[in-house]
Amino acid sequence: MKSYKIYSLHTIKAEESEAQPVGENCVKLKNLICGISSADIGVYTGKIPVQFPIIPVRQCVGFVSEVGSAVTGLSRGDRVVTYPQASCHSCKSCKEGKYYDCEKPNMFGLKENGFLSDFSVVSADDVYAIPDRLKNEEAIYTEHTAMAMKVMAGLGVDKGDHLIIVGATSVGIILAQVAMYYQAVPIVVDMHEEMLGKARAAGVYYTINAVSEDVGKKILALTGGHMGDACAYFISSKMPLKNIIDYTARRGKIALVGTSNGYDLNCNLAGFIEKNLDIVTVSDCGKNYPSAINMLANHTVKVDMLNQYTISFNDVAAEFEKLGASEGDGGNEKILVKI
């Protein structure tokens, strides 16, 4: 088995090792494609502390090459997409079969070895079969789509509502498409015109450049003076957190999306209280993987514009070095690795 391991800060190396045994409740994957995320670069640069060495990457599509003796519902040759977290199999949720709601999950690539390998062994409960019509390059966005669906549910966005999306990240652009599917009106705000262009390419009509435009004034005009019924704030956008209070209507809802991972989230809560704003947090996908796969397979959500470029497995070390030096954010544009 060949894999890439991060051994220390700014040090990633390819390594050959013996094949892993396949447990009775596990499957062995021949990995086909992986997506480098901002978390992987954060581990490489030390922004996100982990215990080294570790194999990075949590987003992977592969096919099943071997099946454990107790596994049902999966067969050799099935294509699957990985869930981003490894379930513990010992908590109340896991014992009830709700592995997506594990109380002690370990994120692949952070606390559990990830998928930047030619083969991986993983619990059968942490992979989902995908249909033939769904391309590998589309399926890699299952986590993003599932998280977007959880944001929609958490905010309770209704038909005709104005949803302010602060951060044209990959999840943010997918969230806008999900909102349009449910006949809500997304307004995407970001500081990078290139990512706003990708949002428009995905069919988003209202975009605001926070550098060149007065965001509050523009939202006021687009919403007829009401402001946003709900607001999704993406932590990785690095936009000022305090501004979302002004973007959201009184008694509206705000979702904080993502994980802190070193981002500054300090903010005076007085404005939230004065406007009676409800706050929800979304840092995982919940039980939305099957629905997300369906949305991608039916092209309800389009993701082609999100792929920045694709590299070969042999070029991984050089790519990490380049992204680490520039503090590149793989969470905004996806860098795919073909294995």
Side-chain angles (χ1 to χ4, degrees):
M1 184 180 87
K2 183 177 181 179
S3 61
Y4 280 93
K5 283 187 178 180
I6 300 176
Y7 283 88
S8 60
L9 300 187
H10 294 276
T11 304
I12 185 169
K13 297 178 181 178
E15 176 185 279
E16 293 281 355
S17 59
E18 293 184 4
Q20 294 176 263
V22 180
E24 62 178 10
N25 292 305
C26 296
V27 293
K28 186 174 185 178
L29 304 182
K30 171 62 182 78
N31 299 333
L32 299 173
I33 193 168
C34 292
I36 298 175
S37 72
S38 57
D40 301 314
I41 305 306
V43 170
Y44 178 76
T45 60
K47 183 180 178 180
I48 302 175
V50 301
Q51 185 172 343
F52 296 123
I54 192 163
I55 301 172
V57 173
R58 70 179 185 272
Q59 295 154 356
C60 177
V61 176
F63 69 79
V64 177
S65 63
E66 191 174 339
V67 179
S69 59
V71 174
T72 58
L74 288 172
S75 303
R76 185 178 179 184
D78 286 349
R79 270 192 321 138
V80 297
V81 60
T82 57
Y83 196 74
Q85 298 172 330
S87 46
C88 72
H89 292 86
S90 61
C91 69
K92 182 176 182 291
S93 294
C94 285
K95 289 179 179 178
E96 292 175 351
K98 301 176 182 178
Y99 302 105
Y100 56 81
D101 200 27
C102 176
E103 297 167 17
K104 297 177 287 184
N106 286 328
M107 185 73 75
F108 288 114
L110 297 182
K111 292 186 177 180
E112 195 88 15
N113 275 330
F115 298 98
L116 199 50
S117 308
D118 51 4
F119 288 90
S120 299
V121 175
V122 63
S123 169
D125 302 313
D126 296 326
V127 299
Y128 289 76
I130 56 178
D132 292 340
R133 67 187 295 181
L134 184 58
K135 295 187 293 187
N136 297 336
E137 293 81 3
E138 296 168 332
I140 204 75
Y141 288 93
T142 303
E143 177 189 351
H144 306 69
T145 307
M147 182 174 280
M149 296 178 76
K150 189 172 182 181
V151 173
M152 283 290 291
L155 289 174
V157 177
D158 291 326
K159 178 180 178 180
D161 283 353
H162 287 94
L163 170 62
I164 313 302
I165 299 172
V166 180
T169 63
S170 294
V171 182
I173 292 171
I174 290 172
L175 172 61
Q177 295 180 70
V178 176
M180 290 187 292
Y181 175 76
Y182 288 106
Q183 299 182 50
V185 182
I187 301 172
V188 179
V189 182
D190 200 271
M191 298 184 292
H192 302 93
E193 184 58 34
E194 182 180 359
M195 295 308 295
L196 290 172
K198 291 179 182 290
R200 291 190 288 272
V204 180
Y205 189 72
Y206 299 120
T207 63
I208 304 174
N209 188 316
V211 175
S212 59
E213 299 179 85
D214 185 324
V215 178
K217 187 176 180 180
K218 186 78 175 284
I219 293 175
L220 192 69
L222 292 175
T223 60
H226 178 66
M227 304 306 286
D229 299 285
C231 177
Y233 173 81
F234 285 87
I235 295 169
S236 64
S237 71
K238 302 179 184 178
M239 298 274 286
L241 177 59
K242 60 184 177 62
N243 290 356
I244 63 177
I245 299 171
D246 298 329
Y247 302 161
T248 311
R250 182 174 177 80
R251 301 189 187 281
K253 277 190 174 184
I254 289 174
L256 304 180
V257 189
T259 56
S260 58
N261 285 343
Y263 294 108
D264 183 8
L265 294 177
N266 292 324
C267 180
N268 190 330
L269 295 177
F272 291 92
I273 297 169
E274 289 170 5
K275 292 185 75 171
N276 284 293
L277 300 175
D278 290 336
I279 302 174
V280 297
T281 59
V282 179
S283 60
D284 60 33
C285 309
K287 60 181 179 180
N288 296 308
Y289 249 56
S291 298
I293 290 169
N294 185 60
M295 274 201 158
L296 288 163
N298 289 325
H299 296 112
T300 301
V301 168
K302 297 179 176 63
V303 295
D304 290 348
M305 76 294 297
L306 299 177
N307 294 328
Q308 187 172 3
Y309 51 85
T310 301
I311 64 172
S312 73
F313 193 54
N314 292 331
D315 293 333
V316 164
E319 187 65 26
F320 266 77
E321 182 178 359
K322 183 182 76 173
L323 292 172
S326 63
E327 296 186 355
D329 186 355
N332 287 343
E333 291 180 304
K334 189 59 57 185
I335 294 127
L336 302 182
V337 182
K338 282 197 173 182
I339 304 173

